[in-house]
Amino acid sequence: MKHDEIGFRIPHKKQPFEEKLGKTMRPKSEPKHPQRELFQSELEQIIDMHHPLVRLGMSIDWTSFEEVLGATYHPTQGAPGISTRLMVALHYLKYEHDLSDEAVVAHWMENPYWQHFSGERYFQHWLPLDASSMTRWRGRLGEAGAEQMLRETIAAGIKTGAIGAADLKRVNVDTTVETKAIRYPTDARLYHRCRERLVKAARREGLAIKQSYRHVGKRLLLASSRYAHARQMKRARACTRKLKTQLGRVTREIERQVTKPSEKLAKILETAHRIYTQQRHDKNKIYSVHEPEVECIAKGKAGKPYEFGNKVSVAVSSRRGWFVGAKSFTGNPYDAHTLEAQMKQVKHMVGDRVSEAHVDMGYRGHNYDGPVTVHIDKRRRGRTARRLWRWMKRRAAVEPSIGHLKNEHRLERNRLKGVAGDAINAILSAAGMNFHKLLGAFLRFFLRCLRNACSGLQTIAPSEARQNQLLRA
């Protein structure tokens, strides 16, 4: 407290509210020279600093994420942000090991290498955050932030030598389906589920529903499934018609009571109208009440003729299979019409390093007109040079890469909501695949160094006969 010469207190100048909170809303950056704890051992003293995860954490530019996500924080409103490095590290580990939000947070508390990778100096014995914080952070991340995570894996590979200049010269481009985590759509289930959501939304608005068909509808849905399983299709269709009638009655009752519904109620009413009027062979049908953007896509697979989700285009390097692009598309566009957007993303990721792109015959009539040469596959070699023909046949290597994305990196069952969730999940799956390959490259380098060290010790160590002579002496 400041005082003048006589002893009176000098009122200090109050700091504006915006200046007080302007620095606290964003995540705090790590200090350059942090103060050490007296009674705790640092993680660097209890872990192997040559571990692949430790070396990879040193190769990633963590400040780039703070620059990309810094503008998404409000200067004065909201709670202080969680560490950006922690959130990015958790999402890398989540998609690398195919874990849920709750599982990756629980594993983080048990693994000192994961804690060191996320920027911790000392071992933590408690959860770093609630799992729901990861869901909200992905909304802040957006598609641009997810692309930054993918770009940083490529930059780390180039920096460490895992990705060479020749590896990015040629890419293979293909499309696949990112299936949504929804139940198999049937008319009976859609009618029943839409009526339930409609009644719930109307009661939240304060409307009185005379008859909600809660118990009757559930019995009809079960009966419809049982009749269909027993191949009694006439009875199953009768139950489906009753469920459709119930949906129409509830919809009309709500429309009679409210003239200007809220935005949420209006959206559900629109979905109910589309489900009520759609027929078997209509286009742009709704296959899920809570995910109306889901499309029915046929990729010509014998075991799975139809898949429900959205189309995703991926770009994989012809050599070593590094992902340099993953683009999500709404609807069901023609494969050739996705090439321009995909190549634009590839240029955004790796610059002008790509000179050739190899695609299958589904890309005939593509819309790309850029500097990269596009080679479309064909059945016979003909006049194609043998060297180029080998790279064209190498295009099929993109198929197992897509299989790894689906089986090991969460592309098969997308649980993120909305169109934004589709885009983020596709890009983070590719980033998780690159992250896995980077760890493998560091592990091979570590084992090679260990093998060289062991072989050097064997040459220096005396032979068994020489050891016996020394013992006799």
Side-chain angles (χ1 to χ4, degrees):
M1 188 74 64
K2 293 184 179 180
H3 297 77
D4 59 3
E5 297 179 355
I6 303 177
F8 290 101
R9 184 179 64 184
I10 300 176
H12 65 278
K13 184 179 180 181
K14 292 185 178 181
Q15 188 179 10
F17 181 74
E18 291 79 4
E19 295 182 7
K20 288 183 180 180
L21 299 181
K23 297 181 181 179
T24 59
M25 297 302 101
R26 296 183 181 181
K28 294 182 180 180
S29 58
E30 300 179 5
K32 295 182 179 179
H33 303 287
Q35 185 177 1
R36 306 184 66 176
E37 293 288 342
L38 182 62
F39 300 104
Q40 287 184 344
S41 299
E42 294 186 355
L43 285 173
E44 296 181 357
Q45 300 176 1
I46 61 177
I47 63 176
D48 183 10
M49 296 303 293
H50 297 284
H51 191 275
L53 197 58
V54 177
R55 302 302 297 269
L56 181 56
M58 297 177 179
S59 304
I60 294 178
D61 182 16
W62 299 101
T63 58
S64 62
F65 300 107
E66 297 179 359
E67 296 174 359
V68 173
L69 298 176
T72 61
Y73 290 90
H74 196 277
T76 60
Q77 297 180 5
I82 303 174
S83 170
T84 302
R85 177 171 179 175
L86 172 63
M87 301 302 292
V88 172
L90 286 175
H91 279 83
Y92 273 139
L93 296 168
K94 167 188 172 71
Y95 279 86
E96 198 270 331
H97 293 283
D98 191 10
L99 299 174
S100 63
D101 292 342
E102 293 79 5
V104 71
V105 172
H107 282 64
W108 183 93
M109 188 179 60
E110 302 171 356
N111 197 318
Y113 289 98
W114 286 21
Q115 296 187 14
H116 184 273
F117 178 72
S118 60
E120 295 291 339
R121 295 190 64 207
Y122 306 98
F123 188 82
Q124 305 296 328
H125 299 272
W126 52 84
L127 296 178
L129 46 84
D130 189 82
S132 60
S133 299
M134 297 183 65
T135 303
R136 290 187 290 271
W137 188 81
R138 280 192 295 269
R140 184 186 302 276
L141 180 69
E143 187 174 359
E147 288 183 350
Q148 177 62 28
M149 292 183 63
L150 177 60
R151 188 185 303 110
E152 193 56 40
T153 59
I154 301 171
I158 296 174
K159 180 180 178 181
T160 58
I163 303 177
D167 297 340
L168 301 177
K169 187 177 180 181
R170 298 177 179 86
V171 295
N172 301 328
V173 182
D174 199 4
T175 60
T176 185
V177 179
E178 181 183 25
T179 55
K180 203 75 171 182
I182 63 171
R183 294 180 295 182
Y184 189 84
T186 60
D187 290 339
R189 185 175 294 145
L190 284 174
Y191 296 146
H192 174 72
R193 184 59 177 163
C194 188
R195 179 190 50 77
E196 283 185 338
R197 296 288 295 270
L198 199 57
V199 170
K200 187 176 181 181
R203 285 177 173 170
R204 283 181 177 176
E205 298 289 334
L207 303 180
I209 306 299
K210 181 174 65 175
Q211 189 170 2
S212 64
Y213 301 99
R214 176 183 177 185
H215 301 288
V216 178
K218 186 175 182 179
R219 286 197 298 267
L220 284 174
L221 179 63
L222 293 175
S224 174
S225 302
R226 290 165 181 165
Y227 286 140
H229 181 72
R231 309 305 298 170
Q232 300 179 16
M233 306 308 298
K234 190 174 181 179
R235 292 178 174 176
R237 285 192 292 268
C239 294
T240 303
R241 285 195 300 270
K242 292 179 182 179
L243 288 169
K244 183 178 180 180
T245 302
Q246 294 173 2
L247 173 62
R249 288 176 178 174
V250 173
T251 304
R252 290 188 294 271
E253 183 180 357
I254 294 175
E255 290 177 342
R256 283 193 298 267
Q257 295 187 38
V258 59
T259 55
K260 292 183 179 180
S262 62
E263 182 179 357
K264 188 173 183 179
L265 183 58
K267 185 177 180 180
I268 299 179
L269 280 172
E270 181 185 358
T271 303
H273 278 294
R274 291 180 60 184
I275 291 176
Y276 185 81
T277 57
Q278 66 186 11
Q279 300 296 323
R280 179 176 182 181
H281 299 288
D282 289 348
K283 294 183 178 180
N284 300 323
K285 295 173 63 177
I286 290 183
Y287 301 95
S288 175
V289 179
H290 72 283
E291 291 289 345
E293 300 87 4
V294 169
E295 295 287 339
C296 179
I297 303 175
K299 296 293 286 185
K301 299 178 182 178
K304 192 184 292 185
Y306 300 103
E307 296 176 279
F308 300 95
N310 66 292
K311 184 168 287 189
V312 172
S313 174
V314 296
V316 187
S317 63
S318 297
R319 296 184 59 181
R320 302 186 182 181
W322 295 93
F323 278 85
V324 294
K327 187 73 174 176
S328 174
F329 296 91
T330 57
N332 186 12
Y334 176 49
D335 287 358
H337 296 165
T338 64
L339 186 60
E340 183 180 6
Q342 179 60 84
M343 296 309 299
K344 183 178 179 180
Q345 186 191 46
V346 170
K347 183 178 180 180
H348 190 55
M349 290 290 171
V350 297
D352 297 327
R353 292 184 174 91
V354 178
S355 60
E356 298 181 18
H358 299 271
V359 297
D360 58 15
M361 297 179 67
Y363 283 83
R364 289 175 292 186
H366 61 80
N367 59 354
Y368 176 69
D369 185 16
V372 179
T373 305
V374 179
H375 300 285
I376 301 176
D377 195 13
K378 55 183 181 179
R379 293 184 177 87
R380 297 183 180 180
R381 184 164 74 92
R383 297 182 179 180
T384 306
R386 188 178 298 275
R387 180 173 175 275
L388 178 59
W389 183 254
R390 291 198 192 100
W391 287 110
M392 291 176 67
K393 296 296 103 179
R394 178 68 182 168
R395 186 215 62 82
V398 70
E399 302 295 345
S401 299
I402 294 175
H404 284 296
L405 278 189
K406 290 195 170 186
N407 297 327
E408 302 167 12
H409 302 288
R410 302 182 72 81
L411 190 69
E412 175 64 24
R413 195 80 174 159
N414 178 22
R415 295 170 176 84
L416 304 187
K417 184 174 178 57
V419 177
D422 298 338
I424 293 173
N425 188 73
I427 299 172
L428 291 184
S429 296
M433 180 69 176
N434 284 353
F435 189 84
H436 178 78
K437 293 174 72 66
L438 284 172
L439 286 179
F442 277 104
L443 181 60
R444 288 190 296 270
F445 176 77
F446 174 72
L447 294 177
R448 186 164 60 249
C449 293
L450 184 62
R451 184 172 62 250
N452 294 338
C454 293
S455 62
L457 291 175
Q458 290 177 2
T459 56
I460 297 174
S463 61
E464 186 177 355
R466 180 58 180 166
Q467 290 180 359
N468 294 334
Q469 292 179 3
L470 293 174
L471 289 174
R472 293 194 198 98

